[in-house]
Amino acid sequence: MPVRKIPKNYLVVTGRFASAKNGESHEFESLLERDHMILLEFDNEVKSFEVQPVRIPVPGVPQGYVPDARVVFKDPKRPAEIVEVKPKADLEQYAREFEPKFMAAKRYCEERDQLFVVKSEEDIRGPYLQNLKFLRRYKQRTPPPEQKDAVLQFIAAQGGKSSSDAIVDALGGPDRAAWLGTVWTMLVQGDLSADFESEFPVDVPVWIEAFQ
């Protein structure tokens, strides 16, 4: 349950992010926070996350400090992270204002075997995020099992590697759009692999991880 309600703000974009991982929607206070949630949603190492998770007392700050997110990982040995998301320019311009809040957050986390992490657009935005934004619409699709099997068999016959265009050219027939949707769904759901760290080209190379 968020400890702070995000107010309406006409200077930045606010909204809600629907998380299938958490089974609920979360408020965000900037597009950068929304982008961070997309990364968390698709990160297979993340078990769950919550926003506006805790109010940390800060000397001289009556309302205390509320960081943006708390992230829990599937690995029980990995400590949870309390995360602050801010543009790099704000971190530099308001460094003195943020310092007591961040120091209080570090102490709070150390006392609970957690980590305090500050992230900017340099940590969040890049080709990986852009690829996820492209694929996220396919995350909840359920392609016909026979299509998935056909895609896997075709790639296996090519030695475990192929590309989106090659698959659709070979299998799509008159229904290319549906087959391409199946490829994207298999990719975002983990049945196929690709280089998410580079911006996807028009024809995306894909492979079956077991062949690597």
Side-chain angles (χ1 to χ4, degrees), residues 131 193-200 204-205 207:
N131 293 335
S193 297
D195 181 10
F196 278 76
E197 297 297 338
S198 299
E199 184 176 355
F200 283 171
V204 180
W207 58 87

Side-chain angles (χ1 to χ4, degrees), residues 46-67:
V46 172
K47 179 180 179 180
S48 63
F49 61 91
E50 55 184 314
V51 301
Q52 311 293 311
V54 63
R55 190 178 299 277
I56 300 172
V58 182
V61 182
Q63 298 300 317
Y65 164 53
V66 180

Side-chain angles (χ1 to χ4, degrees), residues 74-203:
K74 293 178 181 178
D75 183 353
K77 296 181 180 179
R78 183 172 176 178
E81 292 181 354
I82 298 293
V83 184
E84 177 65 32
V85 176
K86 282 283 187 294
K88 183 179 179 181
D90 287 358
L91 291 172
E92 294 174 349
Q93 182 176 354
Y94 303 108
R96 293 184 63 182
E97 178 183 335
F98 292 146
E99 183 177 7
K101 297 178 180 180
F102 291 176
M103 290 298 296
K106 289 179 181 178
R107 288 193 296 270
Y108 175 92
C109 289
E110 289 171 355
E111 292 169 356
R112 293 161 176 79
D113 295 322
Q114 299 177 1
L115 294 177
F116 177 64
V117 182
V118 178
K119 295 187 177 183
S120 72
E121 65 273 19
E122 292 184 348
D123 306 294
I124 295 170
R125 290 178 172 158
Y128 184 77
L129 175 66
Q130 290 305 115
N131 293 335
L132 290 183
K133 286 183 175 181
F134 166 68
L135 290 173
R136 62 183 298 210
R137 76 195 77 173
Y138 299 96
K139 177 72 171 177
Q140 304 304 320
R141 287 183 77 249
T142 305
E146 60 272 18
Q147 285 192 5
K148 292 181 63 173
D149 290 342
V151 170
L152 292 173
Q153 290 172 14
F154 174 79
I155 299 176
Q158 312 305 310
K161 296 182 180 180
S162 188
S163 72
S164 55
D165 278 359
I167 295 168
V168 174
D169 287 344
L171 304 175
D175 202 4
R176 293 176 58 88
W179 281 86
L180 188 57
T182 294
V183 173
W184 299 146
T185 300
M186 294 176 69
L187 190 56
V188 75
Q189 291 180 356
D191 299 301
L192 300 177
S193 297
D195 181 10
F196 278 76
E197 297 297 338
S198 299
E199 184 176 355
F200 283 171
V202 175
D203 184 17

